[in-house]
Amino acid sequence: MPATTGGSRSLLRDGCPSAAAAACLVLNLALVSCGGGSKTTSTAPPSTPAPAADFSLTATPVTVTLVAGSPGQAISVNAVPSNGFSAVVAVTVGGLPAGVTATPATLSLTPGTAQATTLTAAAGAAAATPTVSFTGTSGSLTHTAMVALTVQVPTPPTPPPASAPDVTTYHYDNARDGLNAQETILTLSNVNSTQFGKIAFDAVDGKVDAEPLFVANVTVGGKQRNVLYVATEHDSVYSFDADDGTQIWKTSILGAGETTSDDHKCSQITPEIGITSTPVIDRHQGANGTLFTIGMSKDSKGNYHQRLHALDLTAGTEISGSPTEISTTYPGTGDGSSNGTVTFNPAQYAERAALLLANGTIYTGWTSHCDGRPYTGWVMGFNESTLQQTQVLNVTPNGSEGAVWMSGDGLAADSAGNLYFLDANGTFDTGLDANGFPAKGDFGNAILKLSTSGTLAVADYFEMYNTVAESDADKDLGSGGEILLPDQTDAGGTVHRLMVGAGKDGNIYIADRDNMGKFAANSTTDSNIYQMVPGALQPGGVWSTPAFFNGVLYYGPTYMAMRAFPMTNAKLATTPSSQTAATFNYPGATPSISANGTTNGIVWALESNLNSPAVLHAYDATSLGHELYNSNQAANGRDSFGNGNKFITPLIVNGKVYVGTQNGVAVFGLLPQ
């Protein structure tokens, strides 16, 4: 590079290496010698101090949603060190709304090691969307991490409808009064052909002579179901989901190589005899509840069997000790006796009367095939836990006939465990002992009260003055069923415990259960009974069971209109307050009543005959002249369900009406809208 004039060098170039000249920052200038010549000098810049130790704070996740009353959400908090930071960081939580807590509420963090706190919203916390702060402090250093919080309040679940009542026995209860007073769905305003009709049909393998039964909230396969139980004359028991009609299980109770019984040339139960009577259910017996039923069968050698079966409610399987073969004897010289003993012959009987469960004992009453002798009047009791027979009574042991029919009704029981039923035509001993009881123990054609304390025995009875003539004419009381009335108070304030029954003579008999009247020898009236309403159901007579609601007795006699008889001051009116326009051919109708307490009372009745289409009717309970619905009203046979059975009682529960038919159960309810 050329030299400057006078031998001096330029500033920043002379005396410095050319490669470094551009990088020199001259702050103070002075002439210096560089490389033996004069040169400039500079002062070097100060050094940059090292960065201070610090931390940053993180909270994860940065958005959190809590549901009041539900488990909380963990938040991970970390102090991230920088420049060698190693001091402890204290963390506090701020901005929490009322009802929300942090556990723990403070943290002490070692840098680089995360800790968790859990945010929880209590059940009473209000909905909110706050920002929650996590503030970390160490000495003079403070940093904050923010979390966006949402607190949700769950919508209260819609409370489930009141549980439907269980219907575990014939005609709803052991009083056999025919009333379901817990029906909240079907009303006087929605039971009509526009809103109501046939909605399903549950097919089975035989006639359904037994009333279907219903149990709510049965747990099957981990799922709660409302279940309908159906028994058939083909010796089968079915369970159906009562809400969607799904078949849950089916059980045949026939023994190996057996068939159902033939009809013994009797048209009363034909063409086969299997399960005729309505079963009974105890949902607290056994692991899952138990259904008890009696089936008749015939083995390959031509022998007939009557057996008591106990089936698990959830699976239909026989429980331990089931079934029990029914056989028994009783002292007597009556029909079928030998050497002073009457023997129960299973071939000669059918179990038509509904089973009764009272105080841990299953009671059964037995009828004949038509009037095919020899037969007598048997009542038996079986322990529900062991199925072993514990009690037996024959009410015509030294005579004949006197079977228990009642057109499918069952023996009734009061709270003290006494049993009540109507006995059919048969021997009655008009000669009485000192206590006013038949001298030979024959009670044919009577209203009977049985004591179950210890030995099963007749405790009281009523017998018509003309009982012998009526039995001889087959004009018996036992063609109809009985009911026990709720306590009735007369005009003087006296409470009466009454029962009601009627039979072929068309009279209504009301007995005082505490003093039934016995038999008035040489009398020409029935003044010994509490009340008798003569001819109230003539000329048709009764092959059915009445029902009782809001102080009114409802009867469906044969070939007559259904009739309503009010009861006032513990006495029954002698003429009906209302009646239906329709008449009910043989065998008349057994009404069932649905109501919500004392309101929306509906009387349901069937025109049901083996050889003609069945018809379901619904009437306003306050006036039977007001028909709400019948299954013939809808166009194009929408609600038809085939021919009827001889005796069938409609079941009304949980908004549906179930009707047994010759090949299934017709289901009626509110139509889809």
Side-chain angles (χ1 to χ4, degrees):
M1 182 174 295
T4 61
T5 304
S8 64
R9 297 176 181 171
S10 65
L11 184 63
L12 298 181
R13 294 183 182 177
D14 296 333
C16 295
S18 61
C24 291
L25 176 62
V26 179
L27 301 178
N28 298 298
L29 299 179
L31 183 63
V32 298
S33 173
C34 185
S38 63
K39 55 184 178 182
T40 62
T41 63
S42 66
T43 301
S47 61
T48 302
D54 204 347
F55 70 93
S56 61
L57 196 68
T58 63
T60 307
V62 296
T63 60
V64 172
T65 298
L66 301 179
V67 177
S70 296
Q73 169 71 57
I75 308 295
S76 177
V77 184
N78 193 10
V80 181
S82 61
N83 302 322
F85 181 83
S86 61
V88 173
V89 177
V91 178
T92 58
V93 184
L96 294 176
V100 177
T101 57
T103 306
T106 61
L107 300 173
S108 183
L109 300 181
T110 298
T113 302
Q115 293 184 32
T117 184
T118 299
L119 301 186
T120 305
T129 56
T131 298
V132 177
S133 62
F134 293 83
T135 301
T137 302
S138 180
S140 61
L141 299 175
T142 299
H143 296 288
T144 300
M146 312 302 286
V147 171
L149 175 63
T150 299
V151 179
Q152 296 179 344
V153 177
T155 302
T158 301
S163 180
D166 292 341
V167 183
T168 59
T169 194
Y170 179 83
H171 232 198
Y172 295 102
D173 52 38
N174 283 359
R176 312 301 189 186
D177 58 24
L179 172 63
N180 171 15
Q182 300 178 61
E183 177 53 55
T184 60
I185 298 173
L186 300 178
T187 68
L188 293 170
S189 61
N190 63 23
V191 175
N192 56 67
S193 60
T194 301
Q195 297 172 267
F196 178 89
K198 189 180 75 172
I199 57 175
F201 190 89
D202 298 333
V204 297
D205 60 8
K207 284 185 177 179
V208 180
D209 283 327
E211 181 184 342
L213 299 176
F214 176 96
V215 180
N217 300 323
V218 178
T219 301
V220 183
K223 175 183 178 182
Q224 278 198 337
R225 299 172 182 256
N226 295 323
V227 181
L228 186 75
Y229 295 91
V230 181
T232 79
E233 293 287 3
H234 201 63
D235 268 331
S236 296
V237 180
Y238 291 76
S239 74
F240 294 95
D241 187 307
D243 298 319
D244 63 23
T246 302
Q247 180 181 309
I248 301 171
W249 54 257
K250 171 192 174 184
T251 296
S252 173
I253 62 170
L254 288 169
E258 292 183 351
T259 64
T260 53
S261 170
D262 54 277
D263 64 11
H264 296 260
K265 299 180 180 179
C266 174
S267 62
Q268 291 173 342
I269 308 170
T270 189
E272 62 180 346
I273 305 175
I275 302 173
T276 304
S277 63
T278 300
V280 68
I281 291 171
D282 185 348
R283 71 177 303 167
H284 304 295
Q285 176 67 25
N288 304 302
T290 304
L291 179 147
F292 300 94
T293 191
I294 288 178
M296 187 175 188
S297 62
K298 185 177 182 180
D299 65 28
S300 59
K301 296 180 180 179
N303 299 312
Y304 293 91
H305 301 269
Q306 303 279 0
R307 298 189 184 98
L308 173 62
H309 297 259
L311 306 181
D312 181 279
L313 277 189
T314 63
T317 52
E318 301 265 8
I319 67 170
S320 177
S322 177
T324 288
E325 192 86 22
I326 296 175
S327 62
T328 193
T329 60
Y330 197 83
T333 59
D335 255 14
S337 66
S338 177
N339 299 320
T341 299
V342 182
T343 300
F344 177 80
N345 180 356
Q348 285 296 98
Y349 296 91
E351 175 55 20
R352 159 58 78 180
L355 303 189
L356 168 71
L357 175 60
N359 298 323
T361 300
I362 301 162
Y363 291 99
T364 67
W366 298 85
T367 188
S368 61
H369 305 291
C370 293
D371 285 324
R373 293 178 59 184
Y375 70 93
T376 50
W378 294 94
V379 177
M380 304 175 196
F382 299 83
N383 182 288
E384 71 164 328
S385 298
T386 66
L387 302 189
Q388 296 306 298
Q389 186 182 100
T390 56
Q391 296 175 315
V392 61
L393 173 67
N394 195 303
V395 296
T396 51
N398 296 296
S400 63
E401 303 181 325
V404 183
W405 257 105
M406 299 195 298
S407 299
D409 189 15
L411 281 68
D414 63 18
S415 58
N418 299 304
L419 311 185
Y420 303 85
F421 67 99
L422 310 182
D423 197 48
N425 56 291
T427 302
F428 176 75
D429 308 326
T430 56
L432 307 178
D433 64 17
N435 296 314
F437 284 76
K440 296 182 180 180
D442 297 318
F443 291 88
N445 205 28
I447 301 176
L448 292 172
K449 174 182 179 179
L450 306 184
S451 169
T452 61
S453 178
T455 302
L456 195 62
V458 177
D460 202 357
Y461 74 100
F462 163 76
E463 194 79 41
M464 298 166 288
Y465 79 94
N466 59 343
T467 183
V468 174
E470 289 210 349
S471 281
D472 289 345
D474 194 28
K475 202 170 186 180
D476 55 289
L477 179 61
S479 64
E482 89 298 336
I483 67 170
L484 309 185
L485 297 179
D487 289 352
Q488 301 294 307
T489 304
D490 65 21
T494 301
V495 175
H496 299 270
R497 303 190 314 140
L498 307 175
M499 66 174 293
V500 178
K504 295 178 185 177
D505 66 10
N507 303 324
I508 299 177
Y509 296 92
I510 303 171
D512 185 333
R513 297 179 346 238
D514 297 320
N515 180 16
M516 300 186 72
K518 299 185 174 65
F519 175 65
N522 304 315
S523 177
T524 57
T525 69
D526 289 319
S527 58
N528 50 316
I529 197 170
Y530 175 82
Q531 184 185 8
M532 192 266 283
V533 183
L537 307 174
Q538 290 176 351
V542 171
W543 281 259
S544 60
T545 301
F548 191 79
F549 170 65
N550 272 8
V552 179
L553 182 70
Y554 299 86
Y555 252 112
T558 300
Y559 301 115
M560 297 175 67
M562 181 170 291
R563 299 180 172 192
F565 295 88
M567 180 163 274
T568 305
N569 295 328
K571 289 288 186 178
L572 193 69
T574 57
T575 57
S577 58
S578 67
Q579 62 185 44
T580 61
T583 59
F584 294 81
N585 293 333
Y586 178 81
T590 291
S592 291
I593 300 173
S594 64
N596 186 2
T598 59
T599 64
N600 280 309
I602 301 174
V603 179
W604 302 85
L606 285 164
E607 290 182 65
S608 185
N609 188 281
L610 293 173
N611 301 311
S612 60
V615 182
L616 174 66
H617 294 264
Y619 298 98
D620 183 342
T622 64
S623 175
L624 294 182
H626 178 203
E627 184 175 49
L628 305 171
Y629 164 87
N630 73 63
S631 56
N632 282 342
Q633 290 174 340
N636 302 315
R638 183 196 69 189
D639 296 342
S640 61
F641 55 100
N643 288 1
N645 286 352
K646 183 174 182 180
F647 301 119
I648 189 66
T649 301
L651 167 68
I652 305 93
V653 63
N654 202 32
K656 295 185 175 67
V657 181
Y658 300 95
V659 178
T661 74
Q662 297 186 28
N663 58 355
V665 175
V667 184
F668 293 79
L670 297 179
L671 300 170
Q673 298 297 313

